[in-house]
Amino acid sequence: SFTVAIIGRPNVGKSTLFNRLVGKKLALVDDQPGVTRDRRAGEARLGDLNFTVIDTAGLEEGDSASLTGRMRAQTEAAIEEADAIFFVMDARAGATPEDRHFASLVRRAGKPVILLANKAEGRVGEAGAYEGFDLGLGDPVALSAEHGDGFAELFSCLLTALPEATQLADDDDERRERLVLADDEEGSELDPTKPLRIAVVGRPNAGKSTLINRLLGEDRLLTGPEAGITRDSISVDYLWRGRDAERRLKIFDTAGLRKRAKVEEKLEKLAAADTLRAIRFAEVVVVLLDATIPFEKQDLTIVDLVAREGRALVIGLNKWDLIEDKAHIVALREEAARLLPQVRGALVMPVSGVHGAGLDALMGAVISAHEVWNKRLSTSRLNRWLEGVIDQNPPPAVAGRRIKIRYITQPKARPPHFVIFGNQLDELPDSYRRFLTNGLRQTFALPGTPIRMTLKQGD
Ligand code: GDP
């Protein structure tokens, strides 16, 4: 077995994490009143892993006079005892000077560290979690110790951080079974009570403003607020009433931004920055093309940007009223599939902003892309699929060494993110990686979303 120390400045949620890992009962026993303990230890369970966890949270209640020195000493002692470290920061507060101080203690120890951006329930913590990147402790895992979110990813990270201690032996079928059973929740991270955030991006003159105005019902984009529309600095909140669906939307307000922009800003630069800002704001991005001149270089660049930012995507072919031969859509869809492999299967929807045609279908596509983007696949289904794939098409041997793929999990959605564990995976050819990504896309119906795949050494 192994030991993990929970480190971090006061109030980031170390105790809550400790309690979550060891279970409430145990923690209470360890936490008897009158017993002043600066460090406490408990038997933790995460996924199918059992290990010892040390918490330094007791310090927070101590008298403040000598706190800093004691805290430092206790932290160092805990680090010394541990095989790995959970470094906890508060995602809502971002990275503070105190975090940096503790981070430097931890870095110096040279032990495996997993950075946890805690209190990240919902999306509120996202910005602060980004700040975690510059603590120099690797990518943060967004966590809510209180709500129990993010533990699947924490589990994956722990397997990677301590490959020997947590190794799944080739013949350890029983453990593999337990692992699969432990995480058999199939589902979605979609929260239907929250408005779906969309942005319409595209080249100048593709018809973005016309389309957004049409979606909002004529010229309200420029004149709001009106009934049913509230407007904040960057977006318009609004209820889309389609033929068969209603959905609350938050539409990125490009026009509003442009109006406020400083005159001296170069228009071109502004357009590029706007596009990126819009993409980062959105969950689903509608890339609007001018159907009379589709798939220009700039269009492809924009699609690429959407994919890199990990957003769901729908292609709108605007000015469809100008296309005489409507059967042309077949060729255009084929072209999209060929030119945009990174978002294979993205829906390509003809629309006319000027005439208001195709909007219902476009919004249907947006809603379905959003569902796909939120999808969470169970570990058991994924591994059943993976076994079949490897049986039929095993990964190649490179330089006489066998590449071994052990198993797969999906720790994150939005966009779907898969982690594959195995040996020699750094040798895995890109073609095989693409083969796996496309297999996932087809088998589990994941069109129109970027797919993230991380390969992790499990040996
Ligand atoms: P933006 O720069 O992408 O916001 O584009 P605009 O919405 O300002 O539209 C650019 C031009 O294309 C305007 O002259 C619009 O009238 C025209 N336009 C926009 N949508 C359509 C459409 O669906 N059909 C046609 N025929 N023209 C359109």
Side-chain angles (χ1 to χ4, degrees):
S1 190
F2 57 95
T3 301
V4 176
I6 301 177
I7 305 293
R9 66 179 177 83
N11 275 319
V12 290
K14 297 191 294 297
S15 295
T16 315
L17 175 62
F18 179 88
N19 291 345
R20 171 75 61 176
L21 286 169
V22 305
K24 282 245 154 52
K25 236 170 157 185
L26 262 173
L28 282 177
V29 173
D30 244 359
D31 210 15
Q32 284 173 31
V35 184
T36 328
R37 302 183 48 166
D38 282 353
R39 263 180 295 156
R40 48 180 188 169
E43 284 312 306
R45 192 177 164 84
L46 181 61
D48 71 332
L49 296 171
N50 294 306
F51 55 95
T52 304
V53 63
I54 307 173
D55 175 23
T56 52
L59 282 168
E60 290 167 24
E61 291 110 49
D63 64 291
S64 58
S66 58
L67 186 66
T68 318
R70 273 167 59 227
M71 183 117 189
R72 187 190 170 110
Q74 289 303 331
T75 299
E76 280 174 345
I79 292 172
E80 179 66 34
E81 275 178 68
D83 299 296
I85 291 151
F86 289 164
F87 186 93
V88 187
M89 65 175 280
D90 181 338
R92 291 165 189 240
T96 70
E98 224 180 334
D99 286 327
R100 289 176 213 283
H101 163 74
F102 278 96
S104 72
L105 283 184
V106 162
R107 271 200 312 271
R108 225 171 297 150
K111 295 197 173 171
V113 184
I114 299 171
L115 173 62
L116 302 175
N118 191 32
K119 310 191 191 176
E121 48 269 16
R123 296 179 71 96
V124 279
E126 219 163 78
Y130 288 138
E131 286 184 27
F133 284 102
D134 50 59
L135 288 177
L137 300 173
D139 292 2
V141 175
L143 195 80
S144 171
E146 194 158 320
H147 296 245
D149 300 335
F151 282 79
E153 200 191 353
L154 178 57
F155 170 69
S156 301
C157 290
L158 193 55
L159 293 181
T160 318
L162 290 175
E164 266 134 62
T166 62
Q167 194 183 132
L168 197 63
D170 264 356
D171 56 356
D172 204 347
D173 285 339
E174 197 188 322
R175 209 186 121 197
R176 186 170 286 121
E177 195 101 313
R178 267 189 290 142
L179 179 68
V180 165
L181 287 176
D183 172 29
D184 214 14
E185 294 276 314
E186 186 98 22
S188 165
E189 292 187 359
L190 195 154
D191 181 348
T193 64
K194 292 206 178 122
L196 192 169
R197 293 198 312 278
I198 78 171
V200 180
V201 301
R203 283 187 288 127
N205 277 319
K208 299 180 291 295
S209 315
T210 311
L211 179 74
I212 294 175
N213 282 338
R214 181 58 83 151
L215 281 172
L216 295 180
E218 303 316 321
D219 281 332
R220 296 196 207 170
L221 183 59
L222 298 169
T223 56
E226 289 175 31
I229 297 186
T230 51
R231 211 182 149 134
D232 57 30
S233 53
I234 57 160
S235 65
V236 183
D237 247 22
Y238 138 95
L239 182 70
W240 160 255
R241 287 198 193 84
R243 218 170 291 142
D244 12 69
E246 267 192 7
R247 191 74 169 80
R248 274 180 64 213
L249 302 177
K250 226 182 218 310
I251 300 186
F252 188 82
D253 178 2
T254 317
L257 266 181
R258 195 159 288 149
K259 253 197 323 202
R260 281 193 314 278
K262 294 193 197 86
V263 263
E264 63 265 29
E265 269 190 272
K266 279 218 186 77
L267 200 65
E268 231 169 285
K269 194 177 130 209
L270 180 66
D274 260 7
T275 303
L276 190 59
R277 220 175 279 148
I279 291 171
R280 292 202 167 139
F281 163 87
E283 298 169 290
V284 183
V285 177
V286 175
V287 177
L288 203 62
L289 312 185
D290 183 333
T292 64
I293 33 170
F295 306 116
E296 299 270 291
K297 190 157 171 271
Q298 207 184 344
D299 295 328
L300 304 186
T301 307
I302 292 175
V303 169
D304 216 48
L305 205 54
V306 177
R308 256 189 291 149
E309 294 292 325
R311 273 27 183 197
L313 175 143
V314 171
I315 307 275
L317 283 172
N318 193 32
K319 312 194 186 179
W320 196 247
D321 51 292
L322 300 178
I323 304 289
E324 241 159 72
D325 178 11
K326 305 295 186 206
H328 190 44
I329 188 67
V330 178
L332 288 174
R333 283 184 167 144
E334 277 169 10
E335 206 169 346
R338 186 168 57 78
L339 291 171
L340 315 171
Q342 70 278 54
V343 286
R344 193 178 281 216
L347 293 168
V348 178
M349 310 302 290
V351 289
S352 169
V354 160
H355 296 275
L359 299 187
D360 251 311
L362 179 72
M363 293 315 297
V366 164
I367 290 166
S368 112
H370 189 238
E371 276 164 13
V372 166
W373 190 67
N374 274 284
K375 209 188 259 184
R376 194 75 178 251
L377 299 164
S378 79
T379 309
S380 56
R381 262 183 87 199
L382 284 169
N383 282 284
R384 247 179 280 133
W385 165 79
L386 186 68
E387 249 174 61
V389 168
I390 293 171
D391 261 7
Q392 293 202 337
N393 292 288
V398 174
R401 305 180 73 183
R402 248 177 88 225
I403 298 175
K404 173 112 184 131
I405 294 181
R406 290 179 194 282
Y407 66 97
I408 180 171
T409 63
Q410 187 199 345
K412 271 202 273 198
R414 307 165 59 89
H417 186 158
F418 300 93
V419 181
I420 291 183
F421 294 87
N423 299 344
Q424 320 288 347
L425 288 183
D426 43 349
E427 309 273 356
L428 194 75
D430 271 356
S431 57
Y432 197 84
R433 196 191 169 105
R434 274 198 303 276
F435 163 70
L436 290 176
T437 308
N438 287 332
L440 284 165
R441 213 188 261 299
Q442 281 178 6
T443 308
F444 299 105
L446 301 170
T449 170
I451 290 182
R452 302 271 188 261
M453 186 180 281
T454 309
L455 305 176
K456 289 196 170 173
Q457 192 69 8
D459 200 344

